[in-house]
Amino acid sequence: MKVQPAAFLRTTLPLDLSRLGDLDNGRYHSIWLPDHMVSFWPDSIWTPEFTDLATASPSPHRHLDGLAVAAAAAALTQDVPLVSAVVDTVRRHPAMLAQTALTIDHIAGGRFVLGLGSGESENTLPYGFDFARPVARFEEALRVIRLLWDTDGPVDFEGQFYRLHHARLDTEPYDGAPPPIWIGASGPRMLDIAGRYADGWWPAGAWTPEQYADMLSAVRVSAERSGRDPMAITPCFIQVCLIGEDEAALGDVLQAPLVKAFLLQVSAETLRDFGFEHPMGPGWRGFQDIDPAVLTRDRIVEFLAKVQPEMLLALVPHGTPKQVAATIKAFVDAGLRVPKILDYSAMAGLAHAASSAANVVAAEDELLTLCGDVR
């Protein structure tokens, strides 16, 4: 397949569906819609003291149901595929996921992609969901979804987490084919599961082209071992980057508290691989340790003081649109085919957010020029 960027549709308030027409014009491979209960940014720094974004929205956690928004987007578009990026299998029973995905796919006329992941603590633990053994639960949920889609008549299933007794899902798939399943996976067990079940894949974190290539290879080896076509799995990636029109603009972005807070999503082990000690300490596990409600102001202020710009620059593509595109091209050379360029500079404040969308489009254009006929 050729290289083609994906678009991103925010599923937070205020909801803006007016851009859908501009995204449904053949430029984008697909539109990706996140599904969260809360965001990663700590409440303690979502205040005017730290960011003027707090003057535009009283909370960073005004999330809507990603699948409900996907259904609305399906009704408002004609051609572009829609991807949940991603729904976890902790908050929703797999039988409901199977039915909801078929529903959206019928509304979309066969354009819906069910993007799934094993879940994150900030979206599950505060609400009393059982987050024990998420990977085993995830694989069993995949089995239940496939079973309901592929079986005519009642289904019986006895698993560790789910039990079905004469359960039926008689809603036929749109045009005879169920929605593709894309899986977000980075660890060895999840990569193996992706190879056995996924029609598309993206990692939660691949910090270098070499890491991306290694993970993609693991997915493809698993697929081949399972008798599946490894090259039929679509390689994707949400590529976090920092785009500035020039060096001065980028320098301003690197000082913004919410941009620095990106490091909260990165584990101490990962940062150590790049030669830095994590500002949250040696045991920090990244997004698995984020609880936005309990990370106090004092702790975050201490964290921000220890963040060095070099830490961020070591992790993510950065620079002008042309420079960012050149870095992402290395991931394309490693096998990436559907990149979503996510410019974190938008979190530096309202002025940067206003210019970010144009910078992303410019980076996409540069990337497509670099890729030419890469397939």
Side-chain angles (χ1 to χ4, degrees):
M1 63 177 296
K2 67 178 183 179
V3 177
Q4 190 175 14
F8 198 71
L9 182 67
R10 288 196 304 105
T11 54
T12 51
L13 291 175
L15 182 64
D16 181 10
L17 300 180
S18 65
R19 294 179 55 241
L20 285 171
D22 296 333
L23 303 179
D24 190 22
N25 58 10
R27 174 186 177 89
Y28 293 105
H29 175 279
S30 44
I31 300 174
W32 298 0
L33 301 92
D35 184 69
H36 282 263
M37 297 293 289
V38 296
S39 297
F40 294 119
W41 298 288
D43 298 339
S44 57
I45 58 171
W46 193 271
T47 68
E49 175 189 2
F50 292 97
T51 175
D52 62 0
L53 294 174
T55 66
S57 178
S59 168
H61 312 304
R62 300 163 72 198
H63 290 277
L64 301 172
D65 186 300
L67 293 178
V69 177
L76 294 172
T77 53
Q78 297 293 324
D79 298 308
V80 65
L82 304 160
V83 185
S84 58
V86 295
V87 178
D88 68 65
T89 52
V90 178
R91 291 176 292 144
R92 291 178 171 89
H93 192 284
M96 297 307 301
L97 282 171
Q99 183 191 42
T100 300
L102 290 182
T103 301
I104 300 173
D105 203 39
H106 275 274
I107 297 171
R111 293 179 291 117
F112 182 63
V113 176
L114 180 59
L116 294 173
S118 59
E120 297 160 339
S121 58
E122 83 279 0
N123 288 314
T124 54
L125 294 180
Y127 305 95
F129 292 106
D130 183 1
F131 196 46
R133 304 184 63 194
V135 175
R137 181 186 299 273
F138 176 74
E139 181 170 9
E140 191 168 296
L142 286 172
R143 292 174 59 197
V144 170
I145 291 169
R146 290 290 194 197
L147 185 65
L148 288 168
W149 282 351
D150 296 342
T151 304
D152 293 328
V155 168
D156 293 319
F157 180 84
E158 286 289 332
Q160 299 179 64
F161 307 98
Y162 305 107
R163 292 171 178 79
L164 306 181
H165 180 64
H166 291 301
R168 56 194 310 144
L169 182 58
D170 289 355
T171 303
E172 64 270 20
Y174 180 85
D175 204 24
I181 290 178
W182 288 7
I183 292 176
S186 293
R189 289 175 62 197
M190 286 292 290
L191 293 172
D192 178 66
I193 291 170
R196 289 186 280 118
Y197 289 92
D199 302 295
W201 162 81
W202 61 83
W207 304 107
T208 67
E210 292 76 18
Q211 284 182 328
Y212 189 91
D214 288 345
M215 290 181 183
L216 179 57
S217 176
V219 170
R220 287 174 169 167
V221 166
S222 174
E224 190 167 20
R225 194 165 50 230
S226 301
R228 305 180 69 222
D229 179 3
M231 303 309 293
I233 299 174
T234 302
C236 313
F237 193 24
I238 299 176
Q239 181 74 70
V240 174
C241 58
L242 294 168
I243 309 177
E245 294 179 0
D246 51 38
E247 190 172 333
L250 187 60
D252 186 36
V253 163
L254 290 168
Q255 297 304 315
L258 292 185
V259 174
K260 290 182 176 182
F262 172 73
L263 285 181
L264 293 173
Q265 302 176 43
V266 179
S267 71
E269 181 181 4
T270 294
L271 200 56
R272 195 177 302 117
D273 289 341
F274 287 89
F276 299 99
E277 293 301 316
H278 202 288
M280 293 297 282
W284 186 255
R285 297 180 301 162
F287 61 82
Q288 292 293 350
D289 279 343
I290 295 176
D291 187 339
V294 301
L295 286 171
T296 65
R297 180 187 183 282
D298 288 346
R299 191 176 187 196
I300 294 301
V301 167
E302 181 183 0
F303 156 80
L304 293 173
K306 294 179 180 178
V307 173
Q308 304 169 33
E310 292 76 16
M311 296 175 178
L312 292 162
L313 297 178
L315 289 169
V316 302
H318 57 273
T320 64
K322 189 171 186 177
Q323 290 170 325
V324 167
T327 303
I328 297 176
K329 173 59 165 57
F331 284 82
V332 170
D333 294 340
L336 173 63
R337 290 298 176 267
V338 184
K340 166 60 200 124
I341 301 177
L342 181 62
D343 178 26
Y344 225 75
S345 298
M347 302 312 300
L350 293 173
H352 291 282
S355 60
S356 178
N359 285 337
V360 168
V361 170
E364 291 169 351
D365 287 342
E366 291 284 354
L367 179 62
L368 292 175
T369 299
L370 289 173
C371 291
D373 294 328
V374 171
R375 292 183 179 272

